[in-house]
Amino acid sequence: MLDLRRLQVLREFSVRGTIAATAAALGYTPSAISQQLSALEKETGVALLDRTPRGAELTDAGRLLVVQAEDILALVEATESILAEQADVALGVVTVTAFPTAAVAFAPLLAPPLRRHEEMQLVLRQTLLSTGTEKVRSREVDIALVDDWSGQHPGRGADSGLRHVHLLRDPMVLAVPQGHRLADPGEPVVLERLLGESWIVAPEGERSRYGTDLLLAEVGGLPAAAWEFEGLGTVLSLVSRGIGIAAVPSLAMVGAPAGLVHRTLPGRVPARHVYAVVRPASLRRPAVQVTLQALRAAAGTVAGELKELTDRPS
């Protein structure tokens, strides 16, 4: 009898490529992952990994089992979802992962409606990395809140096997400290005049940095002297202390520290779109259904807050 957890470990190894990376992704030690894979080899009676002093890689039999594991794990989830649907009760654990600004904005709005379902539990995790979609695909989480700057619906491409539910549009705004000249709503925001300012930005590769680069591309790009700090929370904290200015998604202003003033930006403002990503099979679970409903309702509230924020004279 094949152990489902060990099949999940093998599938994760096929994605991560190393035992160390698999252990980090699943929250185990490398030794524990190696033991699980060895035990799976004993269950199957064939070598699944070709181990060398430099690492390990899947054998032909291992790659074949990974393909079968995908089907097995999908079938098990579909069966569990059908049974849960028959019970017609929201029960069990639903795990959601979200990028930090979404977690801050959505968490207070999710708790009240979901607490009414006494037999279910919500686990909300934050991640700085854009790994939410992959975590849904690997069944590590049930729902992921992800952002997209392309303007194209992500469900039409490589992620078409997953369901993408659009939640809201999140335009960029300019954040300045209260004592800054642009804190005065009568002072016009002209991007060309901001190139001499002290800019605080996310590092290259962080999702929000894409919006800043897109915004400033029309005026020659980001000044070379810009300071880089990881995480929008850190960026806004520094802005509030008068260290510089920043262009951030308006969602980041929900729960932002005191001492900040936002200004709407001129022209065609870059915006990201926020989606809830879920496996189609899991949508039959009542607990996943009510969580998705709560996310949609929360998104409506957050969208209203963002509209008020960006429409407000500034």
Side-chain angles (χ1 to χ4, degrees):
M1 180 71 71
L2 295 177
D3 185 284
L4 292 178
R5 291 184 182 275
R6 290 168 185 159
L7 288 177
Q8 289 175 322
V9 170
L10 182 68
R11 189 267 172 199
E12 193 69 26
F13 175 83
S14 73
V15 173
R16 306 296 174 181
T18 67
I19 288 177
T22 303
L26 297 180
Y28 293 101
T29 64
S31 176
I33 293 298
S34 184
Q35 290 173 10
Q36 289 293 312
L37 292 172
S38 295
L40 185 59
E41 287 180 313
K42 290 180 180 178
E43 289 176 351
T44 60
V46 297
L48 302 174
L49 271 66
D50 182 12
R51 296 174 174 83
T52 70
R54 300 180 62 181
E57 61 181 24
L58 291 171
T59 63
D60 289 343
R63 285 187 284 272
L64 177 62
L65 184 55
V66 167
V67 174
Q68 297 300 316
E70 292 280 7
D71 294 338
I72 292 169
L73 294 171
L75 181 59
V76 169
E77 180 178 38
T79 303
E80 290 175 341
S81 297
I82 291 170
L83 293 174
E85 186 180 35
Q86 294 300 309
D88 198 26
V89 176
L91 50 82
V93 178
V94 176
T95 304
V96 179
T97 187
F99 54 94
T101 52
V104 170
F106 278 80
L109 301 171
L110 292 178
L114 293 181
R115 278 179 178 167
R116 295 196 293 266
H117 301 278
E118 298 179 354
E119 297 185 60
M120 70 165 286
Q121 176 188 2
L122 174 69
V123 176
L124 179 61
R125 300 173 181 166
Q126 289 190 28
T127 178
L128 283 172
L129 303 176
S130 55
T131 57
T133 299
E134 183 55 39
K135 288 179 183 295
V136 173
R137 192 190 308 282
S138 66
R139 300 173 183 83
E140 185 178 344
V141 302
D142 299 298
I143 301 172
L145 299 188
V146 302
D147 60 349
D148 180 84
W149 290 91
S150 71
Q152 303 294 320
H153 195 290
R156 295 169 187 160
D159 299 330
S160 57
L162 302 175
R163 173 84 178 275
H164 292 72
V165 179
H166 186 263
L167 296 178
L168 57 88
R169 179 180 178 274
D170 185 18
M172 300 284 285
V173 295
L174 183 69
V176 300
Q178 283 183 342
H180 194 278
R181 62 181 178 83
L182 286 175
D184 178 2
E187 182 74 20
V189 176
V190 182
L191 291 179
E192 290 85 348
R193 298 178 187 173
L194 299 180
L195 297 181
E197 296 280 347
S198 297
W199 280 85
I200 303 174
V201 300
E204 285 191 42
E206 194 168 309
R207 302 284 289 178
S208 61
R209 172 63 177 270
Y210 182 80
T212 304
D213 289 343
L214 193 62
L215 174 71
L216 296 177
E218 297 181 3
V219 292
L222 189 67
W227 288 17
E228 296 184 359
F229 290 89
E230 185 172 334
L232 286 176
T234 301
V235 169
L236 289 178
S237 176
L238 292 170
V239 173
S240 72
R241 296 169 186 267
I243 306 299
I245 66 173
V248 299
S250 54
L251 190 62
M253 300 300 293
V254 178
L260 288 172
V261 174
H262 88 278
R263 297 296 307 274
T264 53
L265 290 160
R268 190 174 180 179
V269 180
R272 64 181 176 180
H273 291 264
V274 179
Y275 294 88
V277 183
V278 61
R279 294 179 302 279
S282 68
L283 283 171
R284 302 187 72 164
R285 283 183 58 199
V288 172
Q289 292 174 14
V290 299
T291 302
L292 193 56
Q293 289 169 2
L295 282 168
R296 282 172 161 157
T301 300
V302 172
E305 294 176 0
L306 297 189
K307 188 174 189 304
E308 180 181 349
L309 180 72
T310 53
D311 285 353
R312 187 186 308 155
S314 59

